[in-house]
Amino acid sequence: MSTGNMNLTLQVWRQKNSKSAGKLVDYKLSEISPDMSFLEMFDVLNEQLITKGEEPVVFDHDCREGICGMCSMFINGQPHGPKDLVTTCQLHMRSFKDGDTIVVEPWRAKAFPVIKDLAVDRSAFDRIIASGGFVSVNTGNAQDANALPIPKLQADAAFEAAACIGCGACVATCKNASAMLFVSAKVSQLALLPQGQPERYRRVQSMVAQMDEEGFGNCTNTGACEAECPKGISLENIARMNRDYFTAKFASEEEV
Amino acid sequence: MSSLSKAFTSSIGRKYVMGLTGLFLITFLILHVSINALIFANDGGETFNIAANFMSHNIVVRILEIGLFAGIILHIIQAVMLTAQNNAARPEKYAYNKPQANSKWYSRSMGLLGTLILMFLVLHLYHFWWPTKVAVFSHEEHNTFHGIVAIFQELWVVVVYILGVISLGYHLLHGFQSSFQTMGWNHRKWTPVVRTIGIWFSIIVPIIFALMPISVYLGWIS
Ligand code: HEM
Ligand code: SF4
Ligand code: FES
């Protein structure tokens, strides 16, 4: 099935389950095409392993077109590998050189326990969303477009925040395993729009409380998350969340 | 826990305390560097001593001094607690990590830089704060300027002070803009201004401080 001429050494994290200790295992791959995506290269590896009667490497993936956020791989020291603004499924082997050694590890954070090999449990993100990352109104029929005037800058900022795919690269790369970029994007996308206003200050308090509960670290503004985010989510969102949190705690009379 | 007390113990709450105490320490640095720069008048310490005596005897300054110590202690306590939580948030480290690809070393080393500053601070207080206190309480005349000239005769002291202010400079290079971000003061028009001021502040203040021991040691000031 291989069609190219790249020879690679992979060092892949193998771990049986969340309880056992894992280790890096070396695999040799040959005739890899530079046009393959990183995940297709892993498909080749897994076919080899299956043919040899070994356990294939477990890794998360779904859409393979950069929109679902499942393909978590920490590649050569960076989440989603060396390229900016791409997920692992959108990373191609032409980003590497023939003869390279590539180290692939799972996201590492206490809040993201390893399920098996490269797959981690990111349900902590789901619980943060469930704690307040929504608008609880009956929606009914779709409104007329432009019935609610929203300034262009505001709409753009909300749209940019909403681009977050919940991949967790921000947590993976942060030296503190902080989830602030993700949470701030999910807070901002609603805080910026009129529909999000009624629950704005309750939401930010609940989501931050849940984030702390899950055991993520604290932001120290190193900016690593923004640099590695495949969707270019901006640190402005973190400042907005901090601002809203401040207002919520000191000015809002609602106890959360 | 009430909503208000959570405001200080949550992740973001602790960061507010870090940011506010950091900004408070920065305002102190402005005052400190301005007054000390009076030694460059090179008038045998006449101007400087007037200011130094005012600072060590004025009641308002005395109260602010207590605030300053409280600020530093709060800053350190929060730093220790946040750092402990941050380490616990990643129990298993990466076998291969490449942090230099996405962030600056000094941004990632705030705890180390802070510890270096603290070590320097102990020596610094022993050199200057303690003798002044002793003099104030025993109602003796204390010539702070003579103290400066005496202390900076030894090369190792000069070197330690230079290393101390370099640590401070890198701490501020990250900390100045970081405190604004923490407080939520991020703005498309103003953040570039804050960043620029922060960079110049982190370079100029340590240089002025460093010139003091250097000038005394080389005999430019006496
Ligand atoms: C004159 C002395 C100091 C000044 C002016 C100063 C200033 C600052 C500022 C402005 C920040 C940024 C706060 C934020 O991001 O919200 C900061 C953060 C920090 N400081 Fe200091 N600091 C000083 C001394 C210390 C000392 C003595 C320590 C430790 C023993 C320390 C440890 C830290 C740590 C760990 C951070 C956290 C990094 C972060 O959250 O970005 N600092 N400091
Ligand atoms: S903020 Fe970016 S890196 Fe973090 S989860 Fe969202 S898309 Fe992924
Ligand atoms: S598999 Fe969906 S984003 Fe990569």
Side-chain angles (χ1 to χ4, degrees):
Chain A
M1 124 136 218
S2 297
T3 52
N5 50 12
M6 290 177 82
N7 296 310
L8 300 166
T9 305
L10 288 184
Q11 298 191 322
V12 183
W13 188 260
R14 303 301 309 257
Q15 181 170 340
K16 223 173 157 53
N17 54 46
S18 61
K19 306 247 159 12
S20 61
K23 63 173 196 300
L24 287 173
V25 177
D26 285 18
Y27 298 102
K28 296 258 181 238
L29 280 181
S30 51
E31 296 174 11
I32 294 295
S33 159
D35 300 326
M36 277 181 188
S37 79
F38 203 81
L39 296 188
E40 284 165 335
M41 184 266 295
F42 258 79
D43 294 338
V44 173
L45 169 67
N46 274 348
E47 276 173 33
Q48 280 186 15
L49 290 177
I50 292 166
T51 313
K52 282 196 279 182
E54 290 177 34
E55 280 247 350
V57 179
V58 172
F59 61 92
D60 266 326
H61 63 112
D62 189 13
C63 69
R64 295 208 177 194
E65 57 183 4
I67 57 173
C68 75
M70 283 305 281
C71 51
S72 52
M73 285 191 189
F74 204 80
I75 303 162
N76 278 351
Q78 286 178 274
H80 300 135
K83 299 213 79 150
D84 287 343
L85 298 170
V86 295
T87 50
T88 304
C89 58
Q90 298 298 295
L91 177 69
H92 290 83
M93 296 317 293
R94 53 180 169 269
S95 297
F96 298 88
K97 288 195 306 289
D98 182 36
D100 273 359
T101 297
I102 308 174
V103 183
V104 188
E105 296 176 73
W107 287 175
R108 296 198 189 280
K110 184 166 147 245
F112 287 166
V114 171
I115 298 170
K116 192 175 167 68
D117 298 336
L118 301 173
V120 298
D121 178 358
R122 280 169 285 185
S123 54
F125 272 10
D126 300 341
R127 289 188 291 275
I128 293 172
I129 297 290
S131 72
F134 47 79
V135 173
S136 31
V137 288
N138 295 325
T139 47
N141 281 340
Q143 253 182 343
D144 280 350
N146 300 330
L148 278 173
I150 301 167
K152 167 90 169 117
L153 264 183
Q154 198 100 346
D156 285 352
F159 198 79
E160 282 162 19
C164 165
I165 52 177
C167 63
C170 43
V171 174
T173 200
C174 174
K175 79 181 247 294
N176 313 313
S178 164
M180 290 281 278
L181 195 65
F182 165 77
V183 181
S184 70
K186 299 301 178 190
V187 163
S188 289
Q189 64 182 3
L190 300 174
L192 284 160
L193 295 178
Q195 294 87 343
Q197 297 313 307
E199 291 160 304
R200 179 171 181 177
Y201 296 110
R202 161 170 282 277
R203 175 183 308 115
V204 68
Q205 294 181 76
S206 311
M207 291 178 77
V208 169
Q210 188 63 37
M211 170 182 87
D212 291 353
E213 177 100 342
E214 298 291 348
F216 291 105
N218 309 289
C219 175
T220 55
N221 303 323
T222 66
C225 53
E226 182 185 56
E228 296 292 358
C229 173
K231 297 295 153 183
I233 302 295
S234 154
L235 292 178
E236 285 170 26
N237 293 298
I238 296 185
R240 181 179 301 106
M241 174 165 77
N242 288 4
R243 217 153 56 219
D244 274 12
Y245 188 77
F246 195 84
T247 310
K249 283 293 177 205
F250 295 102
S252 162
E253 296 187 35
E254 194 179 8
E255 291 276 345
V256 175
Chain B
M1 210 185 294
S2 88
S3 189
L4 208 50
S5 57
K6 244 188 284 175
F8 295 103
T9 54
S10 65
S11 56
I12 299 183
R14 287 194 196 284
K15 286 298 322 253
Y16 288 150
V17 179
M18 258 346 259
L20 282 175
T21 51
L23 282 174
F24 176 60
L25 293 176
I26 286 174
T27 55
F28 156 74
L29 281 181
I30 298 172
L31 199 68
H32 190 30
V33 79
S34 310
I35 291 176
N36 282 26
L38 293 176
I39 67 167
F40 296 119
N42 217 351
D43 53 4
E46 211 173 306
T47 326
F48 171 76
N49 273 337
I50 295 170
N53 272 326
F54 172 78
M55 294 304 280
S56 57
H57 289 84
N58 184 284
I59 180 71
V60 179
V61 182
R62 299 271 52 78
I63 293 169
L64 282 176
E65 186 181 33
I66 296 170
L68 179 64
F69 275 95
I72 291 188
I73 290 168
L74 253 180
H75 191 79
I76 295 172
I77 291 174
Q78 295 299 328
V80 169
M81 296 183 90
L82 286 168
T83 307
Q85 284 179 348
N86 292 345
N87 288 337
R90 176 164 296 129
E92 180 149 21
K93 310 290 170 219
Y94 288 105
Y96 178 16
N97 200 351
K98 206 175 161 191
Q100 68 276 16
N102 53 41
S103 54
K104 296 273 192 278
W105 71 267
Y106 50 84
S107 298
R108 300 189 304 269
S109 314
M110 291 297 277
L112 173 69
L113 292 166
T115 308
L116 292 176
I117 296 172
L118 182 63
M119 283 159 55
F120 162 75
L121 217 53
V122 172
L123 183 72
H124 184 52
L125 290 178
Y126 168 74
H127 276 160
F128 294 109
W129 177 80
W130 182 243
T132 321
K133 279 287 138 264
V134 171
V136 168
F137 281 108
S138 56
H139 299 286
E140 280 168 31
E141 227 9 76
H142 179 68
N143 189 325
T144 311
F145 183 78
H146 285 165
I148 295 179
V149 174
I151 281 163
F152 293 144
Q153 294 308 322
E154 286 192 66
L155 186 59
W156 74 266
V157 177
V158 177
V159 170
V160 169
Y161 270 67
I162 292 172
L163 293 177
V165 295
I166 289 175
S167 310
L168 179 67
Y170 278 111
H171 199 74
L172 290 173
L173 202 52
H174 175 78
F176 193 102
Q177 53 82 29
S178 173
S179 56
F180 282 78
Q181 167 77 6
T182 299
M183 299 312 297
W185 302 327
N186 184 315
H187 190 280
R188 287 190 190 188
K189 283 182 195 150
W190 291 105
T191 297
V193 179
V194 167
R195 282 177 183 267
T196 308
I197 295 175
I199 292 168
W200 284 107
F201 186 89
S202 319
I203 296 171
I204 291 172
V205 170
I207 287 180
I208 300 176
F209 273 133
L211 278 176
M212 295 170 193
I214 293 174
S215 306
V216 171
Y217 185 75
L218 297 180
W220 298 340
I221 288 177
S222 53

